[in-house]
Amino acid sequence: MTIIYLMTAIAEPRKELAQRSPRQIAWMRLKRNKVSMVAAGVALFFVLIAFLAPLVTKIFNVDNTTVYPNVLGDGGVPKGFGGGISWHHPFGLEPGVGRDLFGLLIYGSRISFSIAILTSIAFVAIGLFLGISAAFIGGLLDNTLGRLADFLLAFPTTFMYVALAYPLSLRVEAMGLAHHNGARIIVMVSVLVVFSWPGFFRVVRSQVLSIREKEFILAARTQGASNMRIIFKEILPNLWPLAIVYLSISLPGYLAAEAVFSFLGVGVQAPGSTWGLVLNDATNFWQRDPAYLAIPAGMVIIVVLALNLFGDGLRDALDSKSDR
Amino acid sequence: MATPILKVSGLKKYFLSSGGFTGRNKQVIKAVDGVDFEIYPGETVGLVGESGCGKTTVGRTILKLYDPTEGSIFFEGQDIAHASKVEIFSIRSKMQMIFQDPYASLNPRHTVGEIIGAPFQIHTKLSKDEIKNEVQSLLTKVGLNPEHINRFPHEFSGGQRQRIGIARALALRPKLIVADEPVSALDVSIQAQVVNLLDDLQDEYGLAYLFVAHDLSVVQHISDRVIVMYLGKVMEIAKTESLFKEPRHPYTKALLSAVPIPDPKLERSRERITLVGDLPTPANPPSGCVFNTRCWKAKDICRTTAPELLTVGSSTVACHFPE
């Protein structure tokens, strides 16, 4: 018995020891983290639904424009349990106008996700570019960008956006770039990006400063590597984990920010629909139709929580300290 | 003797400290303060001295990783201290470096193939397959498995990583390798392997080494000649044998007396020189001979006049009262 056991043990190829890149190791660690895998599944589910909104709504035979006034009762509140939940309207109806809530939320999530993803990618890209430039070129550029970052960080983003949203939207419309909600989305993304790159910029700058002094950079220099080669081949690969973690951790924040701004009435406006906008409308009906408030609020909570948990897991998995 | 492959004369490298918030306390750190020596083809020159004496700075300045403040560096007859970037680039392949910390000197995100292949990418126009062949033959040369070309540094031990670093330095067939404490981060058993590997490669390629170290027994084993540095200056240059047998400079004597002898009887009976005080700061070195503050033979002249490097017997010594 023992001999057979030993023989199989020897015959077994040593799979676990075979070539594993840092990326594969991170993926292994992430896979082991059950909570973040579930969170990733949930987040992916919502993102997919948002991207495939036309398909999904077709399958459920609903949309976000048709009104069903005959289902509404007294004071515009839908008839039936939970705000008119039925086979045809799985989440019930919107009180007042009478659109299907499922369709509204799905199409609304498209706008919310687009804003969050655009903002995250833009600020990470800007932070990477400026952070590397500042750390590498140094001197006046470093000082200027550093003080600019301090200056921008001193502003409270929310209040700045509330104050700037209206005049800037008018400016964007006057320039003819976009209209109505399009202009407001452009302004929202721009303002969020302008006020959020400094944080990431600082982290990137300090990281580059520390990587730059490592011996492998010195080795690249003794080989005659150009600055561009050092930045793109030696430094940037060491920054990707940082960028990915920042991206995934900031995503839910911007998702929530969009909801807050739309809720406050300075973001996307009716007849467009986002989660924040629906929540805003729901406050008018919360006593007569609590499901109208509970369903979108629950969705925001689930998605934001899932993205946060996933981001945390990703950070643990990519933690450079355990790279060795 | 043949013409030296490297001739350094009057080499100085000063660093400016930033001087705090107001910038008023700016200090000049004299890391290397007038160093002269030569390295001949195929020779190993040991560079020893305590921490902070400027050994590493000398190595890095020779490779033009730092711009020298003063002095000249002749590599194969060409002054590279004041050469243009293009000229420097062309000699990069002839001078290479092996680093101290094998954990920091390999980019953790690159495979072994990418690390050793980088010099070929920078300096040659070889195709990917040709580079792969070169890398694999180099891996064999340094005693690693050529099949490990796609592995990452974290999959190797310290000694294996140092071998990867050596393969990278060897890639373009350099003539001079500056080895900056190449074994001090390794276990003693691995140190011997790496030192022997360096020895074998020297025989095979006719390499010249500048072997920077603080471990005197390793230096004794590998070097043909030894340079002793103290506070940015050369104290003594001598053939390894004569330096270890009859050190001329008091500092060299003190250094050698600190090397343990693996014989308890001899160890107990010998006289040990313990230097008093700390290494003075290179921002404000003592006047005259820099060693005068800790030297037991110091007289007035040592505090006023800096000694020249003079030949005494078979050694070159910078001391007013050599042995």
Side-chain angles (χ1 to χ4, degrees):
Chain A
M1 273 299 279
T2 330
I3 293 167
I4 295 167
Y5 182 76
L6 273 176
M7 278 172 70
T8 51
I10 291 164
E12 195 84 17
R14 292 173 17 184
K15 265 188 195 145
E16 291 104 287
L17 288 174
Q19 299 160 13
R20 229 180 251 155
S21 67
R23 205 176 301 157
Q24 286 167 312
I25 291 175
W27 172 236
M28 258 183 42
R29 275 200 218 119
L30 191 64
K31 267 201 298 194
R32 238 180 276 148
N33 189 341
K34 292 284 178 310
V35 174
S36 30
M37 285 313 279
V38 171
V42 171
L44 200 67
F45 174 72
F46 276 95
V47 172
L48 270 180
I49 284 186
F51 270 93
L52 303 173
L55 191 71
V56 175
T57 47
K58 197 161 230 169
I59 291 170
F60 283 86
N61 194 22
V62 289
D63 59 38
N64 63 332
T65 45
T66 316
V67 287
Y68 304 91
N70 51 335
V71 194
L72 300 182
D74 295 340
V77 177
K79 289 180 272 190
F81 164 76
I85 289 177
S86 64
W87 280 114
H88 187 200
H89 306 294
F91 283 2
L93 289 163
E94 174 199 25
V97 185
R99 290 178 291 183
D100 180 76
L101 186 55
F102 184 64
L104 273 185
L105 289 180
I106 285 183
Y107 272 98
S109 73
R110 285 189 120 185
I111 300 177
S112 309
F113 275 119
S114 310
I115 290 175
I117 292 172
L118 261 178
T119 309
S120 300
I121 291 178
F123 99 86
V124 164
I126 292 174
L128 270 180
F129 177 72
L130 294 181
I132 293 174
S133 311
F136 226 80
I137 299 169
L140 189 63
L141 181 78
D142 189 15
N143 270 325
T144 313
L145 285 174
R147 296 300 80 75
L148 182 65
D150 293 347
F151 177 73
L152 288 173
L153 280 172
F155 288 103
T157 313
T158 313
F159 294 120
M160 286 310 289
Y161 176 73
V162 171
L164 291 172
Y166 185 61
L168 282 181
S169 304
L170 287 183
R171 190 61 64 84
V172 171
E173 283 187 355
M175 285 195 297
L177 288 173
H179 294 281
H180 310 297
N181 280 335
R184 292 189 197 99
I185 290 172
I186 290 179
V187 170
M188 193 189 288
V189 171
S190 318
V191 171
L192 285 176
V193 167
V194 163
F195 289 104
S196 37
W197 69 264
F200 185 56
F201 158 83
R202 281 184 172 179
V203 180
V204 170
R205 177 182 168 276
S206 65
Q207 270 291 313
V208 174
L209 283 178
S210 99
I211 295 172
R212 211 181 56 162
E213 300 305 318
K214 291 258 169 74
E215 280 187 341
F216 63 80
I217 300 295
L218 219 53
R221 287 205 189 285
T222 62
Q223 289 159 10
S226 62
N227 281 339
M228 281 296 139
R229 191 188 158 89
I230 286 173
I231 288 172
F232 285 105
K233 288 250 171 171
E234 305 284 340
I235 292 179
L236 209 51
N238 285 291
L239 292 176
W240 283 131
L242 190 73
I244 290 168
V245 166
Y246 255 78
L247 204 71
S248 64
I249 286 188
S250 61
L251 207 62
Y254 295 123
L255 210 63
E258 184 280 323
V260 169
F261 291 144
S262 298
F263 178 81
L264 291 175
V266 289
V268 176
Q269 289 178 6
S273 73
T274 72
W275 294 355
L277 211 56
V278 171
L279 281 172
N280 182 2
D281 191 36
T283 53
N284 299 323
F285 297 94
W286 72 274
Q287 278 175 316
R288 283 171 292 165
D289 186 0
Y292 183 45
L293 182 67
I295 292 172
M299 264 170 106
V300 172
I301 290 171
I302 291 171
V303 172
V304 170
L305 189 67
L307 281 169
N308 267 320
L309 288 174
F310 173 62
D312 277 354
L314 205 58
R315 188 191 52 205
D316 290 344
L318 289 169
D319 191 353
S320 61
K321 264 176 273 174
S322 36
D323 253 5
R324 286 201 175 153
Chain B
M1 227 192 250
T3 49
I5 187 168
L6 182 85
K7 186 171 162 54
V8 175
S9 56
L11 185 69
K12 290 184 185 179
K13 176 62 199 175
Y14 296 170
F15 292 102
L16 277 175
S17 70
S18 64
F21 183 67
T22 55
R24 248 184 296 172
N25 306 318
K26 269 198 181 155
Q27 283 183 318
V28 181
I29 312 287
K30 298 177 176 176
V32 177
D33 198 11
V35 162
D36 310 78
F37 64 89
E38 289 120 38
I39 297 175
Y40 294 91
E43 177 187 44
T44 302
V45 175
L47 182 56
V48 298
E50 59 196 288
S51 304
C53 72
K55 309 183 294 264
T56 299
T57 310
V58 168
R60 291 185 179 178
T61 312
I62 288 170
L63 287 175
K64 286 283 282 183
L65 291 172
Y66 300 146
D67 274 324
T69 310
E70 228 178 85
S72 56
I73 306 162
F74 284 93
F75 181 75
E76 295 187 314
Q78 182 190 3
D79 186 1
I80 58 171
H82 308 100
S84 70
K85 274 191 177 168
V86 183
E87 287 170 303
I88 296 295
F89 181 78
S90 66
I91 60 139
R92 285 271 182 235
S93 56
K94 295 179 194 166
M95 288 163 96
Q96 273 301 317
M97 190 157 187
I98 298 169
F99 294 88
Q100 173 174 14
D101 183 356
Y103 289 88
S105 64
L106 307 177
N107 193 332
R109 309 247 154 221
H110 287 181
T111 63
V112 172
E114 286 168 322
I115 289 168
I116 305 175
F120 294 107
Q121 282 182 4
I122 295 169
H123 285 274
T124 68
K125 292 200 171 95
L126 296 180
S127 70
K128 272 189 176 170
D129 285 339
E130 287 169 320
I131 290 178
K132 195 183 166 199
N133 285 338
E134 291 282 345
V135 171
Q136 288 189 323
S137 78
L138 278 166
L139 282 174
T140 320
K141 277 264 146 60
V142 297
L144 292 172
N145 187 342
E147 283 167 23
H148 292 173
I149 187 163
N150 288 323
R151 292 204 175 177
F152 284 84
H154 65 84
E155 296 172 88
F156 294 92
S157 69
Q160 288 174 317
R161 281 160 173 252
Q162 199 57 297
R163 285 169 192 267
I164 296 169
I166 293 170
R168 169 176 62 187
L170 273 180
L172 295 168
R173 303 281 182 274
K175 293 177 176 166
L176 173 69
I177 289 184
V178 174
D180 187 6
E181 311 220 12
V183 295
S184 55
L186 305 177
D187 289 346
V188 181
S189 55
I190 310 292
Q191 281 188 6
Q193 291 177 10
V194 171
V195 166
N196 289 337
L197 173 68
L198 288 174
D199 241 355
D200 295 343
L201 293 170
Q202 180 168 45
D203 293 341
E204 193 174 344
Y205 295 110
L207 292 166
Y209 288 129
L210 178 64
F211 195 93
V212 180
H214 57 245
D215 187 335
L216 291 167
S217 50
V218 173
V219 169
Q220 184 176 16
H221 176 80
I222 197 169
S223 309
D224 299 314
R225 285 190 303 137
V226 178
I227 303 170
V228 181
M229 270 184 81
Y230 180 80
L231 218 62
K233 296 206 172 191
V234 173
M235 296 288 107
E236 182 167 359
I237 303 177
K239 285 236 156 75
T240 308
E241 215 173 293
S242 59
L243 185 106
F244 280 87
K245 207 184 266 171
E246 33 180 6
R248 306 276 180 180
H249 197 285
Y251 179 61
T252 315
K253 256 193 129 167
L255 262 190
L256 293 185
S257 83
V259 178
I261 302 171
D263 180 345
K265 270 186 196 159
L266 266 178
E267 173 75 39
R268 256 180 254 124
S269 65
R270 74 160 168 177
E271 182 194 4
R272 185 169 266 208
I273 303 164
T274 313
L275 289 181
V276 190
D278 288 327
L279 188 70
T281 160
N284 184 22
S287 62
C289 173
V290 285
F291 188 55
N292 78 58
T293 53
R294 299 166 83 187
C295 185
W296 62 96
K297 291 166 93 181
K299 303 249 163 63
D300 283 345
I301 186 173
C302 300
R303 294 182 192 99
T304 53
T305 321
E308 299 277 320
L309 264 176
L310 295 171
T311 309
V312 179
S314 57
S315 312
T316 312
V317 190
C319 182
H320 292 297
F321 308 103
E323 311 256 318

